[in-house]
Amino acid sequence: MLTKFDTKSARVKGLSFHPKRPWILCSLHTGSIQLWDYRMCTLIDKFEEHDGPVRGIAFHNQQPLFVSGGDDYKIKLWNYKLKRCLFTLLGHLDYIRSTFFHHEYAWILSASDDQTIRIWNWQSRTSIAVLTGHNHYVMCAQFHPSEDLVVSASLDQTARVWDISGLRKKNFSPGTSVDEPRGHAANPSAIELFGGTDVIVKHVLEGHDRGVNWACFHPTLPLIVTAADDRLVKLWRMNDTKVWEVDSCRGHYNNVSCCAFHPRQDLILSVSEDKSIRVWDMEKRIGVKTHRRDHDRHWILACHPTLNLFAAGHDSGSIVFKLERERPAYATHGNFLWYVKDKYLRRIDLTNSKDNAVIGLRGGSKTQIYSLSYNPAENAVLVTSRATNVENSHYDLYCIPKNFDSSSPDSPEGKRSSGITAIWVARNRFAVLDRTHTIVIKNMKNEVTKKIQIPAVDQIFYAGTGYLLLRTPEGLTFYDVQQKRSMANVVISKVKYVIWSPDMSHVALLAKHNIVICNRKLESLATVHENVRVKSGSWEESGVFIYTTSNHIKYALTNGDHGIIRTLDLPIYVTRVRGTSVYCLDREVRARVLGIDPTEFKFKMALVNRKYDVVLNMVRNTKLVGQSIIAYLQQKGYPEVALHFVKDDKTRFSLALECGDIEVALRAAEALDDKKCWEALGEMALACGNHQIVEKAYQRTKNFDKLSFLYLLTGNLEKLRKMMKIAELRNDVSGRFQAALYLGDVNERVKILRECGQKSLAYLTAATHNLEEEANELRDEDSPQVDPSAVLLQPLTPVNKNSENWPLLTVSKGFFHGAALAKGAGPGIDEDVGGNLEMESGGAWGDDEDIVIDEDGAIVEAADEADEFVDADAGGEGGGWDVDDDLELPPDLDVPTDVGGTDGYFVPPNKGTSVSQVWCNNSQLAVDHILAGSYETAFRLLHDQVGVVDFKVYKNLFMKTYARSRVSYNAIPSLPAMYGYPHRNWRDAGAKGGLPQVGLKLKTVADRLQDAYRLTTLGKFDDAIKKFRELLLSIPLLVVENRQEINEAQQIIVTCREYIVGLMMEKERKSLPKANIEQQKRICEMAAYLTHCQWQSVHLALALRTAQNLFFKIKNFKTTAVLARRLLELGPKPEIAEQTRKIIKVCEKNATDAHQLVYDPHNPFDVCASTYTPIYRGRPVEKCPLSGACYQPSYKGQVCAVTKCTEIGKDCVGLRISPIQFR
């Protein structure tokens, strides 16, 4: 038995598989119904409206419905899409044991401890038949899968078969569909409770000595199986007139709880309180398999309608399991696929899909064929068969005849020996792992030639001629069989399959949820983790590993990149990948060919291998677009490639900045003409030393201060003087003085200081610089004393004006830059020539031009002669260039593209990945992206996980969090500060595995909760609401390690929500007028609602005292007494308790309510966080995805009043604060 999924919960009393989706319903003894995805191993939803254990549960086979029946005598019909109960069917007078849908009609069948079976029409919501006859609890009742029959089991030691054909004829006339019941059938008064002929007892099955717990029909044969407290499983056969016992299956040693027929094999399954699951052969009535738990009794069994899946419910949860392995045994060589089907070895030619049976395999064994190993040199196969006990496994050696008849293949006598695994290691040698876990080398006669003793080896895999991969608990060992020595090791646990690339240079190691790609030396190149099971894989021609999971075909590159190619309905097993075709086998061992689109992984593989000509060809000729591919190229350091995809100027600008292509960035900035873009371009150009573009950027942004300093650095004194004139026209005294200081123009400085009223400074400047005439004019009584040792402030005179850009290292343009120029040679070259001429002529500050200033002091650019030159030549070629392109060349001439030689391209090394980018790559937690400074991705994660739509309230928390992300320290004086990035996983972070240290801890939040409680006690409601909201919003910014801490964080969210809603409601109540009785009634209602908030006892006592006093004042004595008794249960102070008892005494004398209020203390409800009105259980409700605050449906889509930032009713992933939530 293979366990596929195991849940831990309270006792499971009912199970039901969804017919199409990978879902299973579990009804629990606690009254809860759980909906699980058994493929992803996740809990999807919970349904909790039953009071007491739920024993009956069943999915509808077409509609999004399921039905449940519980110990509260209620049958409930649920819609799992709407996530609520649609209605409740009442009629049974005792516990309901089972509920089932009819496969065709709109009927529900229920069995109850009231000794009756009822059939309900779930469309008209009425009972249409009551089946009476059993005289003890009816434990089970089921419809026949195709006929008008019902079988029931009862503790009266009988099972009964009922004929319901009369009921069908009564309810459905020949001319109506099954969804259109006739009029009288929908009328409850037309039901004949006793003595009716609609349903009659056809057979009574008597033979059990104790109560019968379960009975069910065979899917196709006239058979019934029953399970009883006499520890027997009985098989019955029936016809139209009678039913008789065929045989009993004996082996359980306690009550048998449930049984079922295998849907496709001649097997019976049963579960018992003896803690075992047993499988019986239906023909021989003997046990063939037993699975026993240590401590848990089994109660229920369910079979999937179409798949080889079963489920059993026990005391501590449930399990989903298979009886046997469904993976076909196959091997590939060249263009042939060898596989085993129906005890035949078959061969498919992958070139023409021709399928032939080759030989018949030896049968008669109870073991299942596990694997196949093919030897092309000897045309022989090794077929390994595994038993339930691995030690009893064996293998068969077959030699395939050269000529075989596919219509009636021979069955040659194979050589059989015991062994766990057998694989070929040489042309005429194969290795066997025997039951003592010794490796034995044998020849073609099945004779032992060598033995190798290696401890703890539990599996062996092929690794090329003369080599083996040995699996141990620690990992895999690459072993040389001839030299008997270990060559390499890799640490990976529980490898199930090993797949080598065609050239044996790479190997993929497949475990249950992991794939490790290694080279020949077993050095790990990449690791891929999957949340669902990895099924199979094969290497594609270009070196990409294609693998399948339970629901996807995916790819993995040797550098660790991986992605989805297409989805799957059912698992498949890949045998070969060629071009756009995936050759595979399904679980029915049928050969299939699936089409895929290889463009994405071939593009990425070409980038990894630096085949830039292939990349460029794919860019130009394939539809490879989208944000994901652009993001991938940016992340991997290929922004210049991403430029080829992008037409949007804003995106082109950011990509051009990233790859340092200033020319493209300049063209994009001119098109955008945005101040921020010009500023970013100026910074980038300054870093690259292109001061001519820096000058243009400063001019566009009117950044005169930086422009003046740039002219100082480049020694352009003429333009610096013009900047001084501009500052004078703009009345910019500071800028004008700064320009004068840069120029060393003392007269101008004295003039500026005099004009702005700084006579003393003007005098000092003139006197210090020996301007005696000006100093005499400015001297007066208050003039300061001139320092005789003063030093003149004169800037250095530039020896040579720097009109060219700063010199850089000579680096050839990259491949893609050259390709971009080649793509549009004409216009691109014109622009470059025009640009260079403009720079050489001095640009806007040339000798032949002057600066024109508008009224605001802004620069107005004049037309440039260089632009005129460009415009003149842009029209086409002049007559001077006589180039004839009409040359006759051979059509088959093939000139290879030279990427590498001396005249090729030099590509500079890529920039490394920043620490913040590493953090973003390694984590899906929002707080890690905040710490990395990637607010945009953090916004997206919070939006998807908890529905945040307004991030204003998060600004302060984001800034505080980001401030903790790094530490600063001084390395050398006068150098900028350096930063360190603390890691929370610093022991095993490595270069690219780091995660940031998070400053906010769960314990800190819990401690701050006490401050909020204190503010609530003091009555500072505004401060308390603010504090609770801050704590609530900070929960998604935590990182915790285990499930317990996740639950604690969720509990803090619940606490904060309850306090925020309650305190806001109390503030609203206090602001309401009290002029008339209606207003007073509303005040009392809100005070009563407050007492149902999940508050601490001290605060709840305050709320109860307030509500008690208000209700007493309006003479609602009955409700006052209820509130007072709740107050006493909290154990208040003695004086308060004494006063409360007096109030109760007064209220008991007149236990009535003078006014009718909208308040029912006995009916559970939630308070709408906006209207402050009750939403009773079962009514439509919308919730905040973060806080869980409840709202009326009309508030869906609005911002939550509790959090001030989340969208009400938004469908979200849920709170994610731990890495274990993504596993």
Side-chain angles (χ1 to χ4, degrees):
M1 194 179 88
L2 304 173
T3 301
K4 310 303 285 183
F5 175 54
D6 197 348
T7 70
K8 301 297 180 186
S9 65
R11 183 184 302 166
V12 174
K13 301 297 288 184
L15 290 166
S16 178
F17 281 103
H18 193 282
K20 295 183 178 62
R21 300 186 181 185
W23 292 353
I24 187 168
L25 277 170
C26 304
S27 59
L28 308 185
H29 198 263
T30 57
S32 176
I33 300 169
Q34 297 178 338
L35 178 59
W36 292 87
D37 186 320
Y38 55 79
R39 186 185 288 174
M40 300 294 291
C41 303
T42 54
L43 179 63
I44 299 171
D45 213 336
K46 279 185 179 181
F47 305 90
E48 298 176 328
E49 284 192 20
H50 279 286
D51 186 11
V54 183
R55 302 176 192 275
I57 194 78
F59 270 115
H60 195 278
N61 61 354
Q62 291 177 333
Q63 302 293 330
L65 305 173
F66 67 89
V67 63
S68 63
D71 286 6
D72 53 3
Y73 315 164
K74 296 176 182 177
I75 297 171
K76 291 181 177 287
L77 190 76
W78 309 75
N79 187 311
Y80 57 74
K81 284 188 177 178
L82 302 178
K83 299 183 180 180
R84 64 183 178 88
C85 175
L86 300 181
F87 56 84
T88 302
L89 300 172
L90 300 175
H92 281 296
L93 305 176
D94 209 335
Y95 297 170
I96 295 163
R97 293 285 179 172
S98 70
T99 53
F100 290 98
F101 282 106
H102 195 278
H103 63 280
E104 186 177 359
Y105 307 147
W107 290 353
I108 292 170
L109 181 68
S110 61
S112 171
D113 284 2
D114 63 7
Q115 304 179 16
T116 68
I117 302 160
R118 284 180 180 258
I119 300 177
W120 312 76
N121 187 313
W122 57 264
Q123 289 183 331
S124 61
R125 306 186 185 183
T126 56
S127 173
I128 59 173
V130 181
L131 285 61
T132 58
H134 286 294
N135 54 28
H136 209 305
Y137 300 163
V138 185
M139 302 298 289
C140 162
Q142 295 193 53
F143 288 112
H144 192 282
S146 58
E147 300 178 22
D148 293 326
L149 298 174
V150 166
V151 65
S152 61
S154 170
L155 293 188
D156 63 7
Q157 303 181 13
T158 68
R160 294 181 179 233
V161 178
W162 311 75
D163 186 344
I164 58 170
S165 57
L167 185 67
R168 176 181 59 79
K169 292 171 185 175
K170 179 179 178 181
N171 282 270
F172 301 101
S173 64
T176 61
S177 70
V178 295
D179 294 330
E180 297 173 358
R182 293 172 61 185
H184 71 279
N187 182 7
S189 63
I191 299 171
E192 299 172 6
L193 294 180
F194 302 100
T197 59
D198 297 343
V199 181
I200 58 172
V201 178
K202 190 172 183 179
H203 305 296
V204 178
L205 285 64
E206 296 179 319
H208 285 287
D209 297 333
R210 293 193 179 180
V212 185
N213 291 316
W214 202 263
C216 67
F217 290 109
H218 192 279
T220 55
L221 301 175
L223 298 174
I224 298 171
V225 65
T226 57
D229 287 346
D230 59 4
R231 307 176 185 179
L232 298 179
V233 177
K234 286 184 179 289
L235 182 65
W236 312 75
R237 184 176 289 273
M238 67 176 182
N239 57 23
D240 289 338
T241 59
K242 65 176 182 177
V243 63
W244 63 97
E245 181 182 335
V246 177
D247 204 350
S248 298
C249 301
R250 303 171 187 273
H252 284 294
Y253 52 89
N254 207 333
N255 302 339
V256 187
S257 308
C258 188
C259 59
F261 288 104
H262 194 293
R264 287 170 298 281
Q265 297 181 27
D266 292 336
L267 299 173
I268 297 170
L269 289 85
S270 62
V271 296
S272 166
E273 293 180 41
D274 65 7
K275 306 169 187 174
S276 70
I277 302 172
R278 292 177 184 264
V279 182
W280 312 85
D281 188 314
M282 203 165 74
E283 299 296 329
K284 300 177 182 178
R285 270 79 71 186
I286 59 171
V288 293
K289 289 181 183 177
T290 302
H291 176 75
R292 184 172 284 107
R293 295 185 72 86
D294 294 333
H295 307 293
D296 301 314
R297 298 167 294 175
H298 289 95
W299 299 102
I300 189 68
L301 180 70
C303 306
H304 196 285
T306 56
L307 303 178
N308 177 30
L309 287 176
F310 306 89
H314 50 78
D315 282 335
S316 59
S318 63
I319 58 169
V320 176
F321 61 93
K322 288 188 199 176
L323 290 183
E324 67 275 332
R325 193 166 174 264
E326 293 181 289
R327 181 188 179 93
Y330 63 88
T332 56
H333 178 75
N335 291 323
F336 292 104
L337 167 65
W338 304 81
Y339 69 100
V340 178
K341 182 178 182 181
D342 300 331
K343 296 295 180 182
Y344 285 98
L345 177 68
R346 304 184 70 89
R347 185 185 74 179
I348 296 179
D349 189 336
L350 298 177
T351 57
N352 55 22
S353 300
K354 188 176 180 181
D355 190 352
N356 296 314
V358 179
I359 58 172
L361 301 179
R362 186 173 172 183
S365 175
K366 294 181 181 179
T367 56
Q368 183 185 5
I369 293 177
Y370 183 82
S371 64
L372 189 70
S373 181
Y374 176 68
N375 182 352
E378 299 289 341
N379 201 26
V381 291
L382 289 166
V383 180
T384 304
S385 301
R386 285 277 175 94
T388 306
N389 182 0
V390 178
E391 308 295 330
N392 297 331
S393 303
H394 64 264
Y395 69 90
D396 293 278
L397 171 62
Y398 296 98
C399 289
I400 302 171
K402 292 183 178 179
N403 300 313
F404 54 84
D405 184 4
S406 60
S407 58
S408 58
D410 295 334
S411 297
E413 188 67 27
K415 298 180 177 68
R416 174 173 290 186
S417 294
S418 64
I420 298 172
T421 305
I423 54 173
W424 297 100
V425 292
R427 184 180 63 82
N428 55 2
R429 294 287 187 272
F430 62 92
V432 178
L433 181 67
D434 67 12
R435 67 181 65 185
T436 63
H437 294 270
T438 301
I439 300 172
V440 181
I441 307 299
K442 296 187 176 184
N443 58 20
M444 293 297 294
K445 296 179 181 179
N446 206 22
E447 298 170 342
V448 177
T449 61
K450 185 185 295 186
K451 283 191 176 182
I452 303 171
Q453 291 282 354
I454 300 176
V457 174
D458 57 4
Q459 184 64 288
I460 59 175
F461 302 100
Y462 177 71
T465 303
Y467 297 98
L468 287 173
L469 282 177
L470 312 181
R471 188 179 77 182
T472 63
E474 290 77 27
L476 281 183
T477 300
F478 188 62
Y479 192 79
D480 187 326
V481 176
Q482 191 68 29
Q483 300 181 26
K484 292 187 179 181
R485 68 187 183 95
S486 174
M487 309 291 287
N489 294 280
V490 63
V491 178
I492 176 175
S493 61
K494 297 180 181 178
V495 172
K496 298 175 72 176
Y497 309 107
V498 170
I499 300 162
W500 288 90
S501 61
D503 60 357
M504 301 295 287
S505 62
H506 292 91
V507 63
L509 312 175
L510 276 58
K512 186 176 181 181
H513 291 288
N514 293 309
I515 297 172
V516 177
I517 296 178
C518 303
N519 59 15
R520 180 74 177 168
K521 297 179 181 178
L522 286 194
E523 296 169 342
S524 179
L525 304 178
T527 301
V528 178
H529 176 78
E530 293 289 342
N531 292 324
V532 295
R533 294 171 187 257
V534 179
K535 293 295 182 182
S536 65
S538 179
W539 289 89
E540 198 260 347
E541 303 154 337
S542 61
V544 178
F545 184 64
I546 309 298
Y547 65 98
T548 63
T549 64
S550 298
N551 47 10
H552 287 109
I553 300 179
K554 296 189 171 185
Y555 68 86
L557 307 186
T558 52
N559 67 344
D561 294 329
H562 57 96
I564 297 174
I565 298 174
R566 61 170 286 176
T567 56
L568 297 170
D569 295 327
L570 292 171
I572 60 166
Y573 302 91
V574 176
T575 58
R576 174 67 59 85
V577 181
R578 183 173 293 168
T580 60
S581 299
V582 172
Y583 300 89
C584 57
L585 295 171
D586 61 15
R587 283 180 165 172
E588 305 297 325
V589 202
R590 292 176 303 199
R592 298 171 61 188
V593 181
L594 301 179
I596 60 170
D597 181 3
T599 307
E600 183 179 329
F601 66 75
K602 285 194 172 182
F603 175 80
K604 292 181 178 180
M605 198 65 193
L607 272 178
V608 171
N609 295 332
R610 295 182 177 268
K611 296 180 179 178
Y612 295 134
D613 52 341
V614 176
V615 172
L616 192 62
N617 183 54
M618 295 182 75
V619 168
R620 291 175 176 172
N621 300 324
T622 62
K623 296 179 180 179
L624 194 66
V625 294
Q627 292 299 321
S628 60
I629 198 71
I630 294 170
Y632 171 82
L633 291 167
Q634 281 187 276
Q635 179 187 342
K636 296 298 178 182
Y638 295 102
E640 68 275 15
V641 185
L643 272 172
H644 290 268
F645 292 94
V646 183
K647 304 298 181 188
D648 177 59
D649 286 322
K650 195 165 187 179
T651 311
R652 284 182 65 82
F653 178 77
S654 60
L655 288 171
L657 284 188
E658 190 171 340
C659 64
D661 195 333
I662 295 180
E663 288 82 1
V664 175
L666 177 61
R667 288 196 290 271
E670 287 172 341
L672 291 168
D673 200 20
D674 178 68
K675 183 176 180 181
K676 290 184 178 178
C677 291
W678 283 112
E679 288 174 351
L681 178 63
E683 289 183 18
M684 182 68 185
L686 190 62
C688 295
N690 195 327
H691 66 78
Q692 294 165 346
I693 291 181
V694 175
E695 178 183 349
K696 187 168 188 176
Y698 289 166
Q699 289 173 11
R700 289 295 183 98
T701 56
K702 300 179 182 177
N703 197 332
F704 299 113
D705 292 341
K706 288 186 177 180
L707 199 55
S708 299
F709 192 68
L710 178 69
Y711 291 145
L712 174 67
L713 293 178
T714 56
N716 199 330
L717 301 184
E718 297 153 358
K719 291 185 179 179
L720 193 54
R721 287 193 183 90
K722 292 179 180 179
M723 288 303 303
M724 190 167 66
K725 293 178 184 176
I726 294 170
E728 185 177 357
L729 292 171
R730 291 174 59 242
N731 293 323
D732 180 6
V733 177
S734 177
R736 182 182 166 195
F737 184 80
Q738 192 176 40
L741 196 62
Y742 291 160
L743 286 166
D745 191 338
V746 181
N747 290 323
E748 187 67 21
R749 276 156 48 200
V750 172
K751 181 180 177 183
I752 295 167
L753 291 171
R754 179 189 290 175
E755 289 176 359
C756 65
Q758 298 289 338
K759 281 187 69 177
S760 299
L761 286 176
Y763 167 71
L764 277 178
T765 304
T768 307
H769 291 81
N770 298 322
L771 299 178
E772 295 179 0
E773 186 176 341
E774 286 82 358
N776 292 332
E777 291 179 11
L778 294 166
R779 187 184 292 113
D780 57 17
E781 298 176 353
D782 299 327
S783 296
Q785 195 71 25
V786 178
D787 186 355
S789 60
V791 180
L792 300 180
L793 290 175
Q794 284 292 106
L796 297 175
T797 303
V799 177
N800 183 23
K801 184 174 73 172
N802 186 14
S803 57
E804 300 292 332
N805 288 325
W806 295 334
L808 298 173
L809 292 175
T810 303
V811 178
S812 303
K813 293 291 185 184
F815 180 86
F816 293 100
H817 189 278
L821 291 178
K823 187 177 178 181
I829 292 174
D830 281 349
E831 288 175 17
D832 288 345
V833 170
N836 290 335
L837 286 174
E838 182 180 351
M839 294 303 175
E840 289 169 7
S841 64
W845 302 100
D847 295 333
D848 298 331
E849 300 167 356
D850 209 344
I851 298 176
V852 181
I853 307 296
D854 61 13
E855 294 178 356
D856 297 329
I859 301 173
V860 179
E861 293 182 299
D864 196 353
E865 291 179 4
D867 292 336
E868 293 171 10
F869 171 78
V870 173
D871 293 337
D873 272 2
E877 283 183 358
W881 298 104
D882 187 12
V883 180
D884 186 4
D885 290 334
D886 299 330
L887 301 177
E888 294 184 5
L889 298 174
D892 56 346
L893 186 62
D894 185 16
V895 181
T897 304
D898 182 14
V899 181
T902 55
D903 297 329
Y905 301 98
F906 167 71
V907 180
N910 296 324
K911 182 182 177 182
T913 308
S914 66
V915 175
S916 57
Q917 184 63 50
V918 169
W919 289 351
C920 292
N921 294 346
N922 291 342
S923 176
Q924 298 181 52
L925 300 178
V927 66
D928 291 337
H929 288 250
I930 298 168
L931 289 163
S934 181
Y935 284 6
E936 185 177 349
T937 54
F939 290 162
R940 194 179 307 118
L941 287 171
L942 287 174
H943 178 267
D944 294 342
Q945 291 171 5
V946 292
V948 181
V949 293
D950 185 355
F951 290 93
K952 291 178 184 175
V953 295
Y954 264 111
K955 181 178 179 181
N956 192 32
L957 287 171
F958 271 44
M959 299 305 290
K960 284 182 180 177
T961 304
Y962 179 67
R964 304 187 188 107
S965 66
R966 57 186 183 177
V967 295
S968 175
Y969 54 90
N970 286 327
I972 302 174
S974 79
L975 283 184
M978 299 182 72
Y979 295 103
Y981 298 88
H983 286 154
R984 63 175 180 267
N985 61 338
W986 55 274
R987 293 183 186 276
D988 53 358
K992 294 189 177 181
L995 292 169
Q997 183 64 261
V998 180
L1000 187 65
K1001 305 292 183 184
L1002 182 62
K1003 185 178 183 303
T1004 308
V1005 176
D1007 293 341
R1008 291 177 184 174
L1009 200 58
Q1010 302 303 319
D1011 298 335
Y1013 287 153
R1014 199 173 298 112
L1015 291 169
T1016 306
T1017 307
L1018 295 173
K1020 298 179 179 179
F1021 291 169
D1022 289 328
D1023 294 340
I1025 291 170
K1026 185 177 178 182
K1027 191 73 173 178
F1028 279 118
R1029 184 173 288 129
E1030 182 182 348
L1031 294 176
L1032 173 61
L1033 296 177
S1034 64
I1035 292 295
L1037 308 186
L1038 293 173
V1039 176
V1040 298
E1041 299 299 328
N1042 51 51
R1043 294 282 178 193
Q1044 181 183 349
E1045 291 183 335
I1046 294 172
N1047 294 335
E1048 289 176 12
Q1050 290 171 337
Q1051 185 56 47
I1052 291 175
I1053 289 178
V1054 173
T1055 302
C1056 293
R1057 176 196 72 214
E1058 292 294 317
Y1059 270 89
I1060 293 169
V1061 172
L1063 292 173
M1064 289 196 304
M1065 183 163 59
E1066 184 66 2
K1067 280 183 62 186
E1068 177 71 15
R1069 183 188 68 79
K1070 289 188 173 184
S1071 66
L1072 292 177
K1074 308 172 185 177
N1076 53 47
I1077 189 63
E1078 291 301 323
Q1079 293 173 345
Q1080 293 175 20
K1081 282 165 63 177
R1082 174 59 180 157
I1083 289 171
C1084 290
E1085 287 169 0
M1086 292 176 70
Y1089 302 154
L1090 185 64
T1091 65
H1092 290 266
C1093 290
Q1094 299 175 32
W1095 281 13
Q1096 297 289 315
S1097 298
V1098 61
H1099 303 137
L1100 193 58
L1102 292 170
L1104 283 165
R1105 284 183 65 193
T1106 303
Q1108 165 192 283
N1109 295 340
L1110 289 170
F1111 273 79
F1112 190 83
K1113 288 176 183 177
I1114 65 168
K1115 299 182 180 179
N1116 273 31
F1117 298 124
K1118 183 180 178 181
T1119 309
T1120 303
V1122 172
L1123 295 169
R1125 290 190 187 97
R1126 287 179 58 197
L1127 178 57
L1128 286 178
E1129 290 173 1
L1130 297 177
K1133 293 180 180 178
E1135 57 271 19
I1136 297 173
E1138 185 179 352
Q1139 183 190 5
T1140 305
R1141 290 189 189 96
K1142 290 178 182 178
I1143 292 173
I1144 293 173
K1145 198 169 184 180
V1146 172
C1147 293
E1148 285 175 345
K1149 291 179 181 178
N1150 184 17
T1152 59
D1153 285 340
H1155 304 282
Q1156 184 69 31
L1157 301 184
V1158 186
Y1159 172 60
D1160 182 358
H1162 304 294
N1163 192 356
F1165 63 86
D1166 295 305
V1167 178
C1168 175
S1170 186
T1171 60
Y1172 306 123
T1173 54
I1175 305 173
Y1176 290 102
R1177 188 172 293 176
R1179 297 292 180 84
V1181 63
E1182 296 293 342
K1183 293 190 176 183
C1184 166
L1186 173 55
S1187 67
C1190 297
Y1191 291 88
Q1192 300 286 357
S1194 60
Y1195 285 89
K1196 183 174 182 179
Q1198 298 184 23
V1199 175
C1200 174
V1202 174
T1203 62
K1204 298 289 188 185
C1205 64
T1206 51
E1207 181 183 329
I1208 299 167
K1210 180 173 175 57
D1211 188 15
C1212 296
V1213 177
L1215 182 68
R1216 294 290 185 268
I1217 55 174
S1218 175
I1220 65 174
Q1221 293 175 297
F1222 297 97
R1223 292 174 188 166

